[in-house]
Amino acid sequence: MTAVENTTRTEAGATPDAPALSPHADAAGRHLWMHFARMHGRDGANPIPVVTRGEGVHLWDDRGRRILDGLAGLFVVQAGHGRRELAEVAAKQASELAFFPVWGYTTPPAAELAERLAHLAPGDLNRVFFTSGGGEAVESAWKVAKQYFKLRGRPLKHKVISRATAYHGTTHGAMAVTGLPAMKKDFEPLAPGGFRVPNTNLYRHPEFDGDAEALGRWAADRIEEAIAFEGAETVAAVVLEPVQNSGGCLTAPPSYFARVREICDRHDVLLVADEVITGFGRHGVPFASAKFGFVPDIITCAKGMTSGYGPLGAMIASEKVIEPFLAPGVTFPHGYTWGGHPVSAAVALANLDLMEREDLYGNVLSHADAFGATLDRLRDLPIVGDVRGDGYFRAIELVRDRDTRETFGPQERERLVRGFLPGALFEAGLYCRPDDRGDVVIQLAPPLIAGRAEFDEMEQILRDVLTEAYKIV
């Protein structure tokens, strides 16, 4: 559920004499099929918000209001909005070569970016398969895992294990990996072979009494248990995010990932790190798997690679994974028209240069504790149950009762997550993400150029809006 799925203007705080519907809002209401959003009743009283421009950490809408981008677009705009140097690189590349596929060919930007990503990735993850975005990268990883084992003479290994509540994409394959039943029910039957294990939500496992190490050992053991139950001869891959997005920035200790790595090695199962969100600086490093102490067999990534100045994703595989594909006569019969698009690849190279030149990784590392501490101040609100996350990737879990950790019922969720919060936050000047795909959370992931002033602004807006939200429930 995205923050643009806002409620009626009166409920979000606007006055009855709101400005007339803009031409773009009118056109969108009549013709635009929005993503992950309800489209009923998008009229003058409840128009689709129109964002017209961005600069740095801020956005402006068609009513001239300035809004703090507390979600980096959608965990994407690492370098901030309005970076003309990236736009100029795109224009230059488009004027030289706007498009050519990597279907048996390459372009200079695609070749250079593949080399760059290989150097950034941990271990011997040296082989880069480009996609248009993150879901396609996850789809590609599962297909690679299946063919990898067929080429090795183990054709029964096709299943994939992922974590409860985890989101991995919307294609049929990636959705089968996703651990969100409500998101999948309208599209079933999906690709067979996806199985779920518990995640590492420490707040929702009070029996561990705050012991992240104990929870990590328990959760990792559930992965081995699932492999044994399904039969190791049938399991191809385990897919996990270094910090799980859906459910609200769920972290785990490095010992958890080390244990999962051992389990995968013991049972000849590929370990896939879904770094679509966590990659490219959101945790202060190029890839968060390295920060959390493990080397996967495959990394999937997208989003921050270009800071949103061009659509691009990738699957990065180890030398072990590529090896059987290098045999004579072998092809990976899979690809995307826009994968490795030369304009997007050129922009990605320029974006990675910019991030290093301005030390955006260092900015996150030096300010991450302050970001967490600023959000922690909200714990005094009775509606706030937990504040968690890492780096510039944080979540606030909202509860009905802080003492018992009781969450909200369906009607309260409807009123909060799809009613009051998105519109109220946006009207107050903050774009972020109320979400209830697990328990009810607000997610925050600002551009990596953000600092203490932006943290304070976020905290004040959240405090005001959550105070009102508590009155509602």
Side-chain angles (χ1 to χ4, degrees):
M1 194 60 55
T2 61
V4 297
E5 191 171 314
N6 58 327
T7 183
T8 63
R9 292 207 168 188
T10 52
E11 195 170 340
T15 57
D17 58 345
L21 192 64
S22 75
H24 295 107
D26 180 51
R30 289 185 290 111
H31 301 293
L32 178 64
W33 194 320
M34 293 186 295
H35 297 207
F36 288 102
R38 295 178 180 178
M39 293 177 286
H40 172 73
R42 295 296 193 165
D43 52 23
N46 185 29
I48 297 169
V50 180
V51 176
T52 58
R53 68 183 181 93
E55 188 70 31
V57 297
H58 289 96
L59 305 162
W60 280 261
D61 70 3
D62 59 349
R63 293 164 59 186
R65 297 177 302 171
R66 191 182 78 161
I67 300 122
L68 177 62
D69 185 354
L71 204 64
L74 194 61
F75 317 106
V76 170
V77 190
Q78 317 294 63
H81 300 276
R83 303 304 295 249
R84 294 186 180 276
E85 60 266 50
L86 299 183
E88 289 167 358
V89 166
K92 182 176 184 295
Q93 179 59 48
S95 68
E96 293 174 357
L97 178 66
F99 175 75
F100 203 77
V102 293
W103 295 37
Y105 304 85
T106 191
T107 62
E112 292 172 22
L113 182 58
E115 183 179 38
R116 183 75 165 273
L117 294 178
H119 287 312
L120 289 175
D124 68 344
L125 276 74
N126 296 323
R127 303 291 181 147
V128 180
F129 181 92
F130 286 116
T131 67
S132 308
E136 290 178 356
V138 173
E139 187 88 9
S140 302
W142 192 3
K143 293 177 80 171
V144 159
K146 289 180 177 181
Q147 189 178 358
Y148 168 79
F149 284 111
K150 285 181 171 61
L151 292 171
R152 288 186 47 214
R154 306 196 67 183
L156 294 181
K157 289 178 78 71
H158 69 282
K159 297 174 184 175
V160 61
I161 294 170
S162 58
R163 298 186 290 191
T165 319
Y167 172 79
H168 294 288
T170 56
T171 60
H172 267 65
M175 188 171 286
V177 182
T178 290
L180 295 163
M183 180 174 283
K184 300 188 288 186
K185 63 183 179 62
D186 290 330
F187 309 109
E188 292 174 327
L190 301 174
F195 297 88
R196 237 62 59 209
V197 293
N199 59 42
T200 59
N201 188 343
L202 187 59
Y203 181 72
R204 287 297 166 188
H205 282 283
E207 67 273 20
F208 290 100
D209 195 27
D211 188 341
E213 291 288 342
L215 173 62
R217 288 192 298 271
W218 176 84
D221 287 346
R222 301 290 75 73
I223 292 175
E224 186 161 39
E225 185 179 81
I227 292 172
F229 183 81
E230 293 300 325
E233 71 280 4
T234 71
V235 179
V238 170
V239 180
L240 51 79
E241 300 158 278
V243 177
Q244 184 174 315
N245 167 36
S246 184
C249 299
L250 307 180
T251 59
S255 58
Y256 165 80
F257 298 104
R259 171 88 171 116
V260 175
R261 176 73 274 180
E262 292 171 1
I263 290 167
C264 289
D265 289 342
R266 183 161 52 253
H267 297 288
D268 193 17
V269 171
L270 297 180
L271 177 55
V272 180
D274 183 348
E275 297 228 33
V276 171
I277 289 176
T278 61
F280 306 106
R282 189 132 303 275
H283 298 276
V285 292
F287 292 105
S289 48
K291 180 176 182 177
F292 289 99
F294 72 105
V295 178
D297 298 298
I298 296 173
I299 285 175
T300 59
C301 57
K303 292 188 183 290
M305 192 191 315
T306 66
S307 280
Y309 288 76
L312 189 63
M315 175 195 68
I316 311 173
S318 68
E319 291 296 328
K320 178 182 82 172
V321 171
I322 193 70
E323 190 272 334
F325 292 88
L326 300 178
V330 175
T331 299
F332 179 42
H334 173 67
Y336 300 100
T337 298
W338 307 113
H341 193 288
V343 175
S344 292
V347 169
L349 286 164
N351 176 61
L352 294 173
D353 286 342
L354 184 159
M355 292 178 66
E356 291 180 4
R357 185 173 65 250
E358 298 187 3
D359 193 21
L360 297 190
Y361 300 113
N363 189 62
V364 171
L365 292 175
S366 62
H367 288 91
D369 288 346
F371 186 28
T374 302
L375 296 179
D376 273 340
R377 299 201 301 252
L378 296 168
R379 289 181 183 271
D380 67 336
L381 298 177
I383 198 173
V384 173
D386 193 27
V387 180
R388 56 181 178 254
D390 179 83
Y392 274 29
F393 189 35
R394 306 276 171 166
I396 301 164
E397 182 168 336
L398 306 182
V399 292
R400 196 173 189 277
D401 187 304
R402 190 166 57 186
D403 294 332
T404 64
R405 305 188 186 187
E406 180 187 358
T407 191
F408 300 100
Q411 291 183 340
E412 292 169 321
R413 287 174 178 238
E414 180 72 19
R415 191 169 187 189
L416 270 179
V417 180
R418 279 161 291 278
F420 177 73
L421 283 173
L425 288 163
F426 197 77
E427 292 280 345
L430 176 62
Y431 167 66
C432 57
R433 190 184 204 187
D435 185 39
D436 69 339
R437 291 176 297 177
D439 293 298
V440 177
V441 298
I442 293 177
Q443 290 183 300
L444 298 146
L448 308 189
I449 61 173
R452 292 174 184 266
E454 288 75 32
F455 306 157
D456 288 339
E457 185 178 353
M458 277 187 264
E459 189 268 342
Q460 187 57 61
I461 293 173
L462 286 163
R463 178 172 295 278
D464 292 343
V465 172
L466 291 179
T467 298
E468 292 303 311
Y470 183 66
K471 296 176 183 177
I472 290 176
V473 297

